[in-house]
Amino acid sequence: MNNKLVLSLIVACAVLSGCASDANTAKPDNTPTAAAPTVAATVQPTAEITPAPTTTPTEAPKAEPTAAEKLALDYIITYVNNSDVAAKKKFVAEHLHPGVQALFKEAQLTETEPELKVLRPKVIESTEYTDDNGTKVDAVLLQGEKRSNMYNEVIVLIADNKIFRAMEAVEKAEFSNLRSKFKAPVPAVTLPPLTVLDELVNFIIVDVWNKGFAEFHYYSKNGKNSVGEKMDIQATMERLAVAMAHKKESDSYIAGLGAEYDDVKKVWAPLSQETDSLYAQLLIGPPKPKDPNTKFDTEVFRQYRDDFQEKIDTMLLENE
């Protein structure tokens, strides 16, 4: 790599080094995966012919990640997300291009701020090109989540088997130019799943419980709503109908999450089922006021609600 290329790295060192602060003690994400390019495949219809004897199709094995892809992912795991300063220092010495190493001081090798960490990183695609200086460059596109930003993409550039730059979409023009070298479509602007799930906890507590089931729970106990006032059954059912429509959307959202959220799906499933069951009871008819034998029992719902809240709160703490 020539000096002209090395000198140009100074402009980008903020992204590569990360804004660091040793006041934070966030844990690194430990569930990275390498994914194949997310290019949608199109199957063309074929004319009908006499079928041949059928055989069970064998799924093509996924391509092993390249050395460049492994290195790019390791950069996110070991350098960006890691709390171990010694490991970060070792990574700089072994895997950063010598021209970039000069930009790093030991005092800078501290904890990356939580909002700058790339959670659940995965390799999307890699490509090769030759830059204006005639240098062969491996470019690796990764995607992940950020607590404080929208869906995040990172491009890691590698030459001579060493990382010399990493950039994000905030570097608009230059990032867009490099991003165009990849076939994978730009993902729609979405909130990180943890942010959506945190909001879903509030929705279940406020809209489904406080403004819905709790009203009927207290109505069956003392003939009043949850704050001791006259119960407006029609208005409460109307609010619940809106909440249940949103809850149905939440079912689809959680079902569409990746395998790294399987634990979330496990605690959501019984909560979703119990929510539907209680709502179905209310559609048949609300409980009677002051009914000691009421069948509208919310104890199981509250248990599942608390389990879901605990699971999401734990995940948020782990990724701070």
Side-chain angles (χ1 to χ4, degrees):
M1 176 177 287
N2 57 40
N3 290 333
K4 182 179 179 182
L5 177 59
V6 171
L7 290 175
S8 69
L9 304 176
I10 297 176
V11 179
C13 69
V15 175
L16 186 61
S17 62
C19 295
S21 170
D22 56 5
N24 299 291
T25 56
K27 298 180 180 179
D29 177 68
N30 292 319
T31 58
T33 56
T38 57
V39 182
T42 304
V43 179
Q44 300 294 335
T46 57
E48 289 190 8
I49 58 174
T50 302
T54 58
T55 57
T56 303
T58 302
E59 184 178 346
K62 293 183 179 179
E64 286 293 322
T66 66
E69 291 171 345
K70 290 179 180 178
L71 180 56
L73 189 59
D74 195 23
Y75 160 70
I76 300 296
I77 300 167
T78 305
Y79 186 80
V80 175
N81 292 350
N82 202 357
S83 302
D84 187 341
V85 174
K88 292 162 80 82
K89 184 177 180 180
K90 185 173 184 290
F91 186 87
V92 169
E94 295 181 354
H95 300 297
L96 265 60
H97 196 279
V100 176
Q101 290 183 29
L103 302 174
F104 289 79
K105 304 295 183 183
E106 187 168 349
Q108 291 177 286
L109 298 178
T110 54
E111 176 74 19
T112 304
E113 293 177 5
E115 62 270 19
L116 296 179
K117 292 188 176 186
V118 181
L119 309 178
R120 294 175 180 80
K122 59 183 177 180
V123 172
I124 300 301
E125 186 182 344
S126 60
T127 188
E128 294 180 357
Y129 70 96
T130 302
D131 68 7
D132 295 339
N133 302 305
T135 302
K136 182 181 176 182
V137 177
D138 288 299
V140 182
L141 174 67
L142 303 100
Q143 292 177 352
E145 304 165 20
K146 279 197 171 183
R147 288 286 304 279
S148 59
N149 297 324
M150 295 297 186
Y151 204 92
N152 189 57
E153 289 193 323
V154 180
I155 297 175
V156 177
L157 302 180
I158 300 167
D160 302 327
N161 299 315
K162 302 287 186 180
I163 294 175
F164 69 87
R165 187 169 184 182
M167 63 173 63
E168 297 177 283
V170 290
E171 301 174 73
K172 296 179 181 177
E174 196 168 3
F175 183 89
S176 296
N177 180 54
L178 277 173
R179 184 62 174 82
S180 66
K181 296 182 182 295
F182 298 96
K183 296 178 181 179
V186 177
V189 176
T190 57
L191 288 170
L194 273 180
T195 301
V196 177
L197 293 171
D198 190 27
E199 293 176 352
L200 184 53
V201 169
N202 292 331
F203 162 74
I204 290 295
I205 293 173
V206 176
D207 295 84
V208 177
W209 172 249
N210 290 349
K211 297 181 180 180
F213 294 160
E215 299 285 80
F216 289 105
H217 169 78
Y218 286 101
Y219 180 66
S220 67
K221 299 295 183 184
N222 55 35
K224 302 289 184 179
N225 66 10
S226 59
V227 293
E229 297 177 348
K230 183 179 178 180
M231 179 70 175
D232 189 334
I233 293 177
Q234 182 177 350
T236 305
M237 286 301 294
E238 288 174 354
R239 287 197 301 269
L240 260 178
V242 174
M244 292 302 293
H246 180 67
K247 182 260 177 189
K248 186 176 181 180
E249 295 174 357
S250 300
D251 285 334
S252 298
Y253 178 84
I254 290 180
L257 292 175
E260 62 269 34
Y261 289 95
D262 282 351
D263 288 347
V264 172
K265 296 176 184 180
K266 288 179 182 178
V267 294
W268 172 259
L271 172 59
S272 175
Q273 184 176 359
E274 185 64 17
T275 301
D276 290 341
S277 177
L278 289 178
Y279 184 59
Q281 289 184 47
L282 293 175
L283 289 176
I284 295 173
K288 296 179 181 179
K290 300 181 180 181
D291 181 6
N293 300 314
T294 182
K295 295 181 179 180
F296 188 73
D297 187 354
T298 62
E299 183 177 352
V300 174
F301 168 85
R302 284 178 284 167
Q303 176 186 329
Y304 291 151
R305 175 203 64 193
D306 293 345
D307 291 344
F308 181 66
Q309 180 181 12
E310 181 180 358
K311 177 61 181 177
I312 303 306
D313 285 348
T314 299
M315 293 178 69
L316 288 169
L317 286 173
E318 289 175 347
N319 288 286
E320 280 186 349

